[in-house]
């Protein structure tokens, strides 16, 4: 199977369309998303229409849970909260109930998908260091786990008791190792590279690679301004943070 895996679209339609074009060129069998379809950006309904029409298999992110009424807005910083309040005014009841029904964790024999971590997935912990990663790796039953949430791509590799971190791809999946892969963010990267991120995983070839795609960012930025969302949310797209 060839998988196109992405996360944290955050209502950025221009970035989403750019990665979907790149994924299409790679003839993938299945699209997977690690959640956070909405929040921050100005196109929540158009992005959710793509989720529903393109057969994307997705788990629920914290921003998705918030607009679906399953999470307190006090959890979020003021910028995120302002965007979530605006997003709530844009969504239909159908959109909300679709988000409400997304699972927190999805798994099959080959891979697992979760927004934040396998350790208490409903609490949306961030995996920022080796010990955070270990808490999830201990619970991981598949060779590969895909996450998002931090908006910063990278791979934790476990072999025996040892866990290491790397940002080097392409990566070859070795049978004696376990992998926790953060696929970065489509719509609001925070690793200093403003291009949209997605991950190609070929389970037959045992190859995995995070790729970056440029997109028409100015259009996404001017939509954020026109919607009356905080200007910082437009500015940060340019610096990838
Ligand atoms: Zn996010």
């Amino acid at each position: 199977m060839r998988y196109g895996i992405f996360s944290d679209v955050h209502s950025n339609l221009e970035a989403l369309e750019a990665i979907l074009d790149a994924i299409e060129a790679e003839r993938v069998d299945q699209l997977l998303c690690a959640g956070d379809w909405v929040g921050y950006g100005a196109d929540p309904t158009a992005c959710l229409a793509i989720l529903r029409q393109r057969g994307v298999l997705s788990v629920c992110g914290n921003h998705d849970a918030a607009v679906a009424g399953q999470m307190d807005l006090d959890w979020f910083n003021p910028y995120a909260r302002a965007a979530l309040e605006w997003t709530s005014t844009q969504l239909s009841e159908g959109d909300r109930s679709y988000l409400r029904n997304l699972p927190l964790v999805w798994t099959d024999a080959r891979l697992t998908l979760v927004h934040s971590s396998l350790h208490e997935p409903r609490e949306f912990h961030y995996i920022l260091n080796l010990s955070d990663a270990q808490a999830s790796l201990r619970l991981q039953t598949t060779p590969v786990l895909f996450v998002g949430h931090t908006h910063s791509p990278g791979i934790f590799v476990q072999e025996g008791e040892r866990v290491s971190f790397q940002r080097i791809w392409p990566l070859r999946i070795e049978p004696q190792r376990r992998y926790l892969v953060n696929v970065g963010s489509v719509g609001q990267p925070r690793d200093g590279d403003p291009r949209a991120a997605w991950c190609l995983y070929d389970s037959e070839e045992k190859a995995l690679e995070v790729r970056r795609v440029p997109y028409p960012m100015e259009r996404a930025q001017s939509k954020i301004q026109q919607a009356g969302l905080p200007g910082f949310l437009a500015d940060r797209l340019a610096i990838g943070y």
Side-chain angles (χ1 to χ4, degrees):
M1 282 277 272
R2 282 167 73 79
Y3 297 92
I5 306 152
F6 57 93
S7 188
D8 295 86
V9 171
H10 285 300
S11 304
N12 187 334
L13 180 64
E14 286 71 24
L16 177 59
E17 287 175 336
I19 65 125
L20 288 174
D21 284 349
I23 292 174
E24 201 149 308
E26 291 293 341
R27 307 168 320 279
V28 308
D29 303 299
Q30 179 68 56
L31 293 170
L32 300 173
C33 178
D36 269 3
W37 283 84
V38 299
Y40 300 130
D43 274 311
T45 50
C47 291
L48 289 177
I50 289 173
L51 160 65
R52 295 167 73 165
Q53 288 157 13
R54 297 283 291 262
V56 184
L57 212 155
S58 182
V59 290
C60 188
N62 49 317
H63 290 249
D64 304 324
V67 293
Q70 294 173 311
M71 217 175 145
D72 201 319
L73 290 184
D74 288 342
W75 196 91
F76 295 89
N77 71 51
Y79 297 113
R81 188 185 170 131
L84 286 169
E85 282 166 349
W86 176 84
T87 301
S88 295
T89 68
Q90 307 293 308
L91 298 189
S92 66
E93 191 39 49
D95 288 332
R96 256 187 288 276
S97 93
Y98 198 90
L99 292 175
R100 211 172 289 131
N101 287 310
L102 293 178
L104 282 168
V105 182
W106 182 88
T107 190
D108 69 4
R110 297 186 182 97
L111 62 92
T112 306
L113 188 64
V114 68
H115 182 62
S116 54
S117 78
L118 280 184
H119 169 63
E120 302 178 324
R122 194 174 295 280
E123 300 301 319
F124 296 106
H125 301 303
Y126 290 91
I127 297 178
L128 299 171
N129 54 43
L130 298 182
S131 95
D132 300 337
Q134 256 156 345
S136 276
L137 285 159
R138 262 195 290 274
L139 300 167
Q140 191 175 322
T141 57
T142 55
V144 192
L145 165 67
F146 292 98
V147 303
H149 199 36
T150 67
H151 299 205
S152 184
I155 303 178
F156 293 93
V157 183
Q158 181 182 45
E159 184 165 359
E161 291 299 296
R162 192 172 164 271
V163 179
S164 58
F165 177 76
Q166 66 176 66
R167 279 203 177 102
I168 302 160
W169 17 78
L171 179 84
R172 189 147 183 87
I173 302 295
E174 308 285 351
Q176 75 278 18
R177 292 180 178 163
R178 223 169 244 189
Y179 300 86
L180 192 168
V181 181
N182 190 314
V183 297
S185 170
V186 173
Q188 197 193 83
R190 292 182 197 157
D191 63 337
D193 183 342
R195 296 173 301 166
W198 72 281
C199 176
L200 176 64
Y201 172 44
D202 189 320
S203 60
E204 254 81 279
E205 297 291 323
K206 309 230 174 291
L208 188 152
E209 186 174 355
V210 174
R211 296 190 177 177
R212 304 305 280 260
V213 187
Y215 70 94
M217 181 188 300
E218 296 75 21
R219 208 181 304 158
Q221 288 175 311
S222 69
K223 285 179 180 175
I224 287 172
Q225 273 143 3
Q226 280 159 23
L229 289 161
F232 169 67
L233 298 177
D235 297 342
R236 73 188 304 178
L237 295 180
I239 52 171
Y241 195 74

